[in-house]
Amino acid sequence: EVQLVESGGGLIQPGGSLRLSCAGSGFSVSSNYITWVRQAPGKGLEWVSFINLGGTTYYADSVQGRFTISRDDSKNTVYLQMNSLRVEDTALYYCARAGAVAGLPYWGQGTLVTVSS
Amino acid sequence: SYELSQPPSVSVSPGQTASISCFGDKLGDKYTFWYQQKPGQSPVLVMFQDNKRPSGIPERFSGSNSGNTATLTISGTQAMDEADYYCQVWDSNTVIFGRGTKLTVL
């Protein structure tokens, strides 16, 4: 069974850093696109970043230069390093297995990031 | 950057047909995906490649995409279908979501 489990969220002050983890099971993260999507409270879905099979990374303009996605194949885990956090980064962060023709068929349960002083 | 537009809300009576639209420039040239999200839950893919249903999605869900409009249609809408629905495309190595449509079944 395919599962993705996010962790690492929490309360952080503006300007701080946080690293989210997305642990995959039932499949290999190195053989799939893995993407991060966030949802601010009461708002819609916003794409954040993805990493493809070859390890190439892509980012939304809103996080470019502040967030870094990476992958540890030995742990079957994808990470999202978030630096210079802003109040507007407050959201539930989901990771999802993605594909250009498959969409995002598998999602985790999300991890909440709250940026507040 | 590419943008998708959706009506904020759609209402439908139980048993009737609900149509949720998604608009984008030459959207018919792209694959459109649809997600259902109920309160407190993660999104669920209900349609991929415009009109394909993932395993486990009821047959009452169907999709189309042509010109500038993609449509998710729910026939014989049930109370359990009340949720937020998002359309999504890939564009230049980015994932684009519509702002979502709240479907109310009343």
Side-chain angles (χ1 to χ4, degrees), chain B residues 10-18 74-79 103-106:
Chain B
V10 169
S11 297
V12 64
S13 299
Q16 299 305 302
T17 297
I74 309 173
S75 305
T77 307
Q78 300 182 9
L103 176 67
T104 301
V105 182
L106 41 69

Side-chain angles (χ1 to χ4, degrees), chain A residues 3-32:
Chain A
Q3 282 193 322
L4 299 107
V5 178
E6 303 93 336
S7 61
L11 175 63
I12 189 78
Q13 291 188 339
S17 298
L18 213 54
R19 189 179 80 158
L20 306 183
S21 300
C22 171
S25 60
F27 74 103
S28 172
V29 299
S30 62
S31 301
N32 287 272

Side-chain angles (χ1 to χ4, degrees), chain B residues 10-14 18 20 36-39 41 60-61 74 77-85 101-106:
Chain B
V10 169
S11 297
V12 64
S13 299
I20 301 172
Q36 175 194 70
Q37 187 180 34
K38 297 181 179 180
Q41 297 184 17
R60 63 179 180 273
F61 287 83
I74 309 173
T77 307
Q78 300 182 9
M80 68 173 64
D81 300 328
E82 186 163 286
D84 293 327
Y85 290 85
T101 297
K102 182 175 181 60
L103 176 67
T104 301
V105 182
L106 41 69

Side-chain angles (χ1 to χ4, degrees), chain B residues 21-65:
Chain B
S21 299
C22 178
F23 306 96
D25 184 50
K26 298 180 181 178
L27 184 55
D29 292 344
K30 303 177 185 296
Y31 279 141
T32 297
F33 305 87
W34 290 93
Y35 302 87
Q36 175 194 70
Q37 187 180 34
K38 297 181 179 180
Q41 297 184 17
S42 302
V44 173
L45 179 70
V46 295
M47 199 66 55
F48 67 101
Q49 292 182 33
D50 299 336
N51 55 18
K52 296 179 172 61
R53 279 180 295 105
S55 174
I57 301 304
E59 291 184 8
R60 63 179 180 273
F61 287 83
S62 63
S64 64
N65 186 13

Side-chain angles (χ1 to χ4, degrees), chain A residues 69-88:
Chain A
I69 190 171
S70 63
R71 190 175 71 202
D72 185 334
D73 295 345
S74 67
K75 295 183 178 180
N76 210 38
T77 298
V78 171
Y79 302 98
L80 186 68
Q81 177 67 42
M82 305 186 296
N83 299 330
S84 302
L85 281 161
R86 304 168 179 167
V87 171
E88 54 265 36

Side-chain angles (χ1 to χ4, degrees), chain A residues 21-101:
Chain A
S21 300
C22 171
S25 60
F27 74 103
S28 172
V29 299
S30 62
S31 301
N32 287 272
Y33 285 38
I34 303 296
T35 186
W36 287 94
V37 175
R38 67 186 181 183
Q39 187 168 36
K43 302 297 184 183
L45 302 174
E46 179 190 14
W47 171 70
V48 174
S49 177
F50 80 81
I51 184 167
N52 70 9
L53 304 183
T56 303
T57 59
Y58 301 88
Y59 301 93
D61 290 344
S62 58
V63 307
Q64 180 76 50
R66 301 187 298 124
F67 290 12
T68 302
I69 190 171
S70 63
R71 190 175 71 202
D72 185 334
D73 295 345
S74 67
K75 295 183 178 180
N76 210 38
T77 298
V78 171
Y79 302 98
L80 186 68
Q81 177 67 42
M82 305 186 296
N83 299 330
S84 302
L85 281 161
R86 304 168 179 167
V87 171
E88 54 265 36
D89 295 319
T90 294
L92 185 61
Y93 284 73
Y94 296 101
C95 67
R97 199 178 94 173
V101 295

